[in-house]
Amino acid sequence: MVTAAFPSWAHCGQGAGPGDLVGCRGVAIPGSARCLAHATPAEQTAYLASLSPGADLDLRGTAVDAAHIQQIHVRTNDPATGRARLGNVLLDQATFAEEAEFSSTDFTGSVSCTQCTFEGNAWFDGAVFAKGASFKAAHFVGDARFDRTAFPTDVWFVETTFSGDAHFTESEFGSGWFHRASFAQNVLLTGAVFARHAGFNATFARASWLGPLSCGTTLDLGGAVFAARVTVQAAARKVACRRTQWAQPATLTLRYAEVDLTDAVCEYPLAVAGHLRPFLTPTGPLDESALASAPEQPRVASLQGVDAAQLLLTDLDLTECLFAGTIHLDQVRLEGDCSFAKAPAGFHWRRWRVVRHTRRSTLAEEQHWRSTRPASVPGWQLPLPGADIVQPSALAALYRALRKSYEDSSNAPGAADFYYGEMEMRRVDRRTAPAERGLITAYWALSGYGLRATRALGWLLLAVILTMLVMMLWGLPERDAPLLSTGTLTGHRITMTTDDSDPENPTGPVTDRLTSARFEKSLRVVVNSVIFRTSGQNLTTTGTYTEMASRLTEPVLLGLAALAVRGRIKR
């Protein structure tokens, strides 16, 4: 947009008067006081004849027509390459009323097109901008064609307006900046490669496809607005989507990237997925050579501030993902191979005692909290400097929400680890009532919250062994007491009384009680106790109470083991 102020260069001034003190803003060409558009034919011819391959071009503020562009191409054509070659190019505030044809042009110097207006189609296909280009606040009324264009250094499309289609197919960028740009129609970036950084803090009104493109460092979509359905395919080290707005359904397909979705707005379904194979372009696989050292599976860094009710995550690494602050986390959908951080399994010393952690999926926030605890065991993930440490009460809520998400998708094994995490956070939370903490601790110790079958079976085996040992040593009587019957015969009527004598407590050396016969009887008592049956075996007082205790505890332990197995195999 041209301002009313006088330009900073010696300008043409054609048409200046009381109503317009500036007049034509075109820069005066050498040998004339007028711009190229208003110079005399002789002055125009002389100026164009002065151009040669590699010449600088200054047409600031000038209304440039197609005939002038054609003459510039002819005069600057390099016979060695068959391409037009220009040095430093200044097109600030210039207006191209017709098509602007700069295809296959080598720009060996810097290029400035600030506030330039292209009213027709602008053609830069196959051009090379060797020392950077700026299209700040430029307006492309027609289509902008930058297919197979090379920007080895930097290019700025800051506050640029694209009213037509914008084509960057198979173009190569050092860094590309599209901050606050506006795309009214389609944007084609198929096969585009960004060696360092790509910033798209822009508005996409109708773009339906972005990519596939490759970026050696960061693809910045922060603050971008996608007003129409869109599919983004990108291979990059990082993809920043902070405060990005998707006003229609969108798909974000990634390779290698660490994606940050903090405060992103998903008004419609948003699918973020990892891509296992290289993206394909019309000419073959996308060039990903700058990303060869990065892991292929993309990672999610943060979902903080996102309303996850419309979010689908597929085949992503969630090892370092921050979930605290996510809205409707229980409605997020996790599909494919979504992996979480693992607890450091095995035995570890904590001060004077040995602790054992079983391998399970954990949230990054729990990893951070445990790593900051006194005498923390090694292997927990450290938080970033200055990061907030989420406390157990909040972690329990996060685990509960993710557990519900897995349960709603009928993934019981996946939900099991999050149930374990929820219960673990309730157990270690100091604000949990003591009685509740004691009950949860017992549940953890006996069966790992009903999820560790080996732990429950271990306790069951120990209970069986102890019960059998007690039975053999003190529970079985010294000998089976015979039944004694007495009676009276009077006429034809017989009356008899049977006495069952009290069992005798075993005596003698302890080793004499450990016999195969007593072992068999003890085993029968224990087996019947596990299935809530009485053995019918005479027992001493100690044996009777032991059998009562085993009939209470051993079936419970067996049930906890069965519950743990079912939780792992249920679908």
Side-chain angles (χ1 to χ4, degrees):
M1 180 181 294
V2 178
T3 64
F6 281 85
S8 60
W9 54 83
H11 68 287
C12 174
Q14 178 74 23
D20 182 4
L21 299 178
V22 178
C24 175
R25 308 176 67 85
V27 65
I29 61 175
S32 174
R34 300 298 182 185
C35 67
L36 181 62
H38 295 119
T40 65
E43 292 172 337
Q44 293 179 354
T45 301
Y47 171 70
L48 294 173
S50 69
L51 299 178
S52 62
D56 295 339
L57 182 65
D58 186 355
L59 295 177
R60 288 174 290 178
T62 304
V64 186
D65 60 29
H68 292 150
I69 298 176
Q70 178 62 29
Q71 286 297 314
I72 292 171
H73 269 277
V74 171
R75 297 295 181 179
T76 60
N77 184 72
D78 187 346
T81 62
R83 295 163 57 95
R85 179 163 56 88
L86 293 169
N88 296 320
V89 176
L90 297 175
L91 298 176
D92 300 342
Q93 299 183 18
T95 300
F96 294 83
E98 302 170 329
E99 293 201 353
E101 177 60 73
F102 290 96
S103 298
S104 301
T105 300
D106 293 330
F107 297 91
T108 59
S110 61
V111 177
S112 178
C113 296
T114 301
Q115 295 182 330
C116 184
T117 301
F118 298 88
E119 296 181 357
N121 294 333
W123 300 85
F124 291 88
D125 294 344
V128 177
F129 294 81
K131 294 186 178 179
S134 173
F135 292 86
K136 181 179 180 181
H139 186 187
F140 292 87
V141 179
D143 292 347
R145 305 297 296 259
F146 289 87
D147 295 333
R148 296 174 300 281
T149 304
F151 301 93
T153 55
D154 297 330
V155 59
W156 288 269
F157 289 93
V158 179
E159 298 179 350
T160 304
T161 301
F162 296 87
S163 297
D165 291 345
H167 294 244
F168 297 90
T169 301
E170 297 182 3
S171 294
E172 298 180 359
F173 299 80
S175 296
W177 305 90
F178 294 81
H179 293 315
R180 299 183 299 281
S182 175
F183 297 89
Q185 301 295 329
N186 296 317
V187 182
L188 283 79
L189 282 161
T190 304
V193 176
F194 295 83
R196 294 184 296 277
H197 192 285
F200 284 89
N201 181 355
T203 299
F204 300 86
R206 293 185 57 186
S208 61
W209 202 275
L210 201 63
L213 59 89
S214 174
C215 183
T217 54
T218 301
L219 173 61
D220 189 356
L221 297 175
V225 178
F226 293 91
R229 289 175 175 264
V230 66
T231 296
V232 179
Q233 293 184 329
R237 291 189 183 275
K238 292 185 177 181
V239 175
C241 294
R242 285 176 170 261
R243 298 178 300 280
T244 304
Q245 298 181 43
W246 283 277
Q248 291 292 329
T251 300
L252 190 60
T253 307
L254 304 173
R255 283 175 57 78
Y256 303 101
E258 177 185 270
V259 57
D260 185 356
L261 293 168
T262 302
D263 296 326
V265 179
C266 314
E267 300 179 23
Y268 287 83
L270 169 64
V272 183
H275 199 271
L276 302 180
R277 297 180 180 86
F279 294 116
L280 295 179
T281 69
T283 59
L286 180 67
D287 182 7
E288 300 177 349
S289 57
L291 303 166
S293 61
E296 288 192 21
Q297 187 179 31
R299 306 164 304 285
V300 180
S302 173
L303 293 177
Q304 294 177 316
V306 177
D307 188 341
Q310 302 282 357
L311 185 60
L312 168 64
L313 304 178
T314 305
D315 295 331
L316 297 171
D317 183 353
L318 302 176
T319 300
E320 300 178 359
C321 182
L322 300 179
F323 290 92
T326 305
I327 304 167
H328 296 140
L329 182 58
D330 60 319
Q331 298 181 37
V332 67
R333 293 172 57 194
L334 303 174
E335 297 183 357
D337 181 19
C338 286
S339 56
F340 290 83
K342 301 299 182 182
F347 293 92
H348 306 274
W349 280 99
R350 179 182 290 172
R351 294 178 179 171
W352 51 268
R353 61 191 178 95
V354 176
V355 295
R356 177 178 178 267
H357 290 289
T358 55
R359 192 166 183 82
R360 61 182 176 91
S361 295
T362 62
L363 300 183
E365 285 92 343
E366 182 188 350
Q367 297 262 338
H368 299 165
W369 174 76
R370 288 191 180 276
S371 68
T372 59
R373 296 187 69 194
S376 172
V377 301
W380 295 107
Q381 185 184 124
L382 295 175
L384 295 175
D388 294 333
I389 303 300
V390 182
Q391 297 304 307
S393 58
L395 283 170
L398 294 179
Y399 276 117
R400 189 178 305 115
L402 286 170
R403 171 174 62 86
K404 183 178 181 300
S405 172
Y406 269 118
E407 290 174 345
D408 290 345
S409 60
S410 301
N411 187 348
D417 276 353
F418 292 120
Y419 175 70
Y420 193 104
E422 175 190 351
M423 297 299 292
E424 188 73 354
M425 292 301 99
R426 291 175 59 190
R427 182 177 71 86
V428 299
D429 186 4
R430 295 298 179 183
R431 290 182 291 180
T432 303
E436 182 181 353
R437 283 191 68 190
L439 182 62
I440 294 175
T441 300
Y443 192 25
W444 163 76
L446 291 175
S447 65
Y449 310 115
L451 296 173
R452 300 294 183 261
T454 54
R455 190 178 305 181
L457 290 174
W459 282 110
L460 176 61
L461 179 61
L462 179 62
V464 166
I465 293 174
L466 290 176
T467 301
M468 292 182 61
L469 187 61
V470 170
M471 287 295 180
M472 293 176 67
L473 295 178
W474 301 288
L476 296 175
E478 179 76 20
R479 62 184 63 85
D480 291 332
L483 297 177
L484 179 63
S485 299
T486 59
T488 303
L489 177 61
T490 305
H492 297 287
R493 183 177 181 180
I494 299 176
T495 301
M496 301 186 66
T497 302
T498 301
D499 294 328
D500 187 2
S501 59
D502 293 334
E504 299 179 16
N505 290 325
T507 58
V510 172
T511 55
D512 292 346
R513 307 174 200 175
L514 303 177
T515 64
S516 59
R518 293 176 69 84
F519 174 83
E520 189 273 334
K521 292 179 181 180
S522 299
L523 181 61
R524 187 166 60 247
V525 171
V526 171
V527 170
N528 281 280
S529 296
V530 171
I531 59 175
F532 282 110
R533 293 181 56 187
T534 181
S535 63
Q537 172 68 46
N538 286 334
L539 300 173
T540 65
T541 301
T542 300
T544 300
Y545 283 108
T546 300
E547 183 186 39
M548 293 170 60
S550 67
R551 290 177 66 185
L552 175 64
T553 58
E554 291 168 6
V556 172
L557 292 173
L558 181 62
L560 290 174
L563 179 65
V565 172
R566 180 177 181 273
R568 289 300 181 183
I569 64 176
K570 180 183 176 182
R571 294 296 178 186

